Amino acid sequence: MSNPVNYDVIGIGNAIVDVIAPSSDTFLDQMGITKGIMQLIERDRAELLYASMDSRVEAPGGSVANTIAGIGELGLQTAFIGKVKDDALGKLYAESLQKAGTAFPLSPQDVEFPTSRSMIFVSPDGERSMNTYLGAGADISSAEVPDVFGTGLLFLEGYLFDKDEGKTAFSEAAQRMKAAGGRSVITISDPFCAERHRDDFKRLIAEDMDIAIGNDAEWLTLYETDDLNDALRQAAEVCGIVACTRSGDSVWIQQGAQRFTADVTAVTPVDATGAGDQFAAGFLYGVSTGRTLDVAAQMGVLCAAEVIGHIGPRPEINMAQVFSERGLI
């Protein structure tokens, strides 16, 4: 039976509890952590890093979940599909998402692996180094994706491409969304993700996606070029809307041969965690509500700027009010 709610934006991604703590660059070196990227780790390493963290902040996270939560706080109807174990962290995850107004249709499961978690070390310059134990969240299959498809947007997380089940789930979900009259969006997630799954990513973007979001490093890696214009041109030939963030430089949105830009005011981040996620939240809110692509991009830039001004991956102020003050809504 179809879900009676027609969600504005549905996300499918890794349901990960973010465990965030400050750290020095010396500590990263001592622990063998590569600064500024996401590394996958095993369970024993996860426990070691967790034990080494001072003043931990725990919050429901995961890239797409952060985006969906941001869109929900802007007032749209949202749902997030992710897999958690029925352990303490899994229950915390489901409850906190629902409390924030985002539906969580796949309830905590009696599964073998614990709920996924990411130990995030924040350096003094605001750069974050993520150490992710995938756990239960990485194994979502198409059979587990509930039927919540409608005429809104479906947002998919590139990190789930690390398992074959995720690739199949994405393709099938995009097809079901299209059949229901909706559109599908993917975030590339990480340059290493693009490197590992280049052919699958390119095929998915060409065949199943209406919108694709990535940063400059991800697009250059995906299309194996040093020319960002060339990478975005190739992507825009096969995908309707292509968004590219450029670490402090203006955002580029490519639609066919047309380019829209949104200027960025450079600030020193307190914590860069969630910058890309909240750019996607503002941008997809704009797209979902029928704004022009330059306005949608400006919304994304404002959401990203807000979230890097404090510790944690989700906005702390009313972004709809900010949009209103800037004359965007």
Side-chain angles (χ1 to χ4, degrees):
M1 190 172 120
S2 291
N3 192 295
V5 180
N6 186 32
Y7 294 106
D8 296 304
V9 189
I10 303 159
I12 302 179
N14 263 322
I16 298 175
V17 177
D18 285 337
V19 187
I20 306 171
S23 86
S24 65
D25 289 350
T26 308
F27 172 84
L28 298 181
D29 289 341
Q30 287 169 344
M31 299 300 285
I33 296 167
T34 305
K35 184 176 176 177
I37 67 160
M38 193 282 287
Q39 290 175 296
L40 297 176
I41 57 172
E42 297 302 323
R43 193 170 175 173
D44 55 350
R45 170 93 169 147
E47 287 167 359
L48 170 73
L49 292 179
Y50 184 84
S52 74
M53 298 177 100
D54 293 326
S55 58
R56 294 184 290 251
V57 176
E58 293 181 353
S63 173
V64 163
N66 289 336
T67 298
I68 295 297
I71 295 169
E73 284 172 19
L74 282 164
L76 298 189
Q77 283 219 296
T78 53
F80 177 70
I81 299 164
K83 189 171 176 180
V84 296
K85 185 178 171 70
D86 56 359
D87 53 14
L89 282 182
K91 288 169 184 165
L92 164 94
Y93 194 99
E95 285 163 13
S96 51
L97 218 60
Q98 288 163 336
K99 200 178 286 180
T102 289
F104 192 73
L106 187 62
S107 54
Q109 309 283 300
D110 178 15
V111 290
E112 178 187 354
F113 297 110
T115 295
S116 306
R117 66 214 54 191
S118 184
M119 273 58 67
I120 302 174
F121 295 93
V122 182
S123 302
D125 62 1
E127 189 60 81
R128 84 269 193 240
S129 308
M130 296 184 286
N131 301 265
T132 304
Y133 167 61
L134 289 176
D139 286 329
I140 194 160
S141 67
S142 54
E144 293 168 310
V145 175
D147 185 9
V148 292
F149 302 101
T151 57
L153 298 175
L154 173 68
F155 189 40
L156 303 168
E157 180 172 315
Y159 285 136
L160 275 188
F161 257 51
D162 278 307
K163 294 283 179 77
D164 285 341
E165 299 96 321
K167 293 175 190 175
T168 308
F170 275 13
S171 203
E172 289 186 12
Q175 285 158 20
R176 287 160 73 185
M177 195 72 184
K178 189 174 186 176
R183 290 183 288 172
S184 294
V185 188
I186 194 163
T187 168
I188 299 173
S189 297
D190 186 276
F192 292 94
C193 219
E195 185 79 52
R196 284 194 294 267
H197 307 292
R198 180 175 288 112
D199 291 344
D200 287 319
F201 253 119
K202 286 167 82 169
R203 185 169 60 249
L204 190 80
I205 288 170
E207 293 176 6
D208 296 321
M209 294 298 119
D210 300 284
I211 303 168
I213 300 173
N215 63 30
D216 45 5
E218 290 158 1
W219 286 116
L220 292 171
T221 301
L222 188 63
Y223 287 98
E224 297 179 276
T225 175
D226 295 327
D227 183 343
L228 188 59
N229 285 302
D230 181 50
L232 298 183
R233 178 191 57 75
Q234 289 187 63
E237 282 175 356
V238 294
C239 185
I241 298 169
V242 174
C244 179
T245 57
R246 301 189 302 139
S247 319
D249 290 325
S250 61
V251 170
W252 290 352
I253 311 293
Q254 198 77 23
Q255 185 178 39
Q258 193 173 11
R259 174 165 298 165
F260 301 85
T261 61
D263 291 335
V264 172
T265 305
V267 291
T268 302
V270 173
D271 171 18
T273 311
D277 304 337
Q278 294 310 321
F279 168 79
F283 180 64
L284 294 180
Y285 170 83
V287 170
S288 182
T289 55
R291 266 61 186 192
T292 57
L293 290 179
D294 53 341
V295 169
Q298 287 171 45
M299 289 174 164
V301 166
L302 289 171
C303 288
E306 191 283 333
V307 84
I308 64 175
H310 56 78
I311 297 284
R314 297 183 181 181
E316 291 183 347
I317 63 172
N318 183 332
M319 289 308 299
Q321 200 172 322
V322 174
F323 294 166
S324 182
E325 287 164 5
R326 297 295 183 98
L328 299 179
I329 55 175

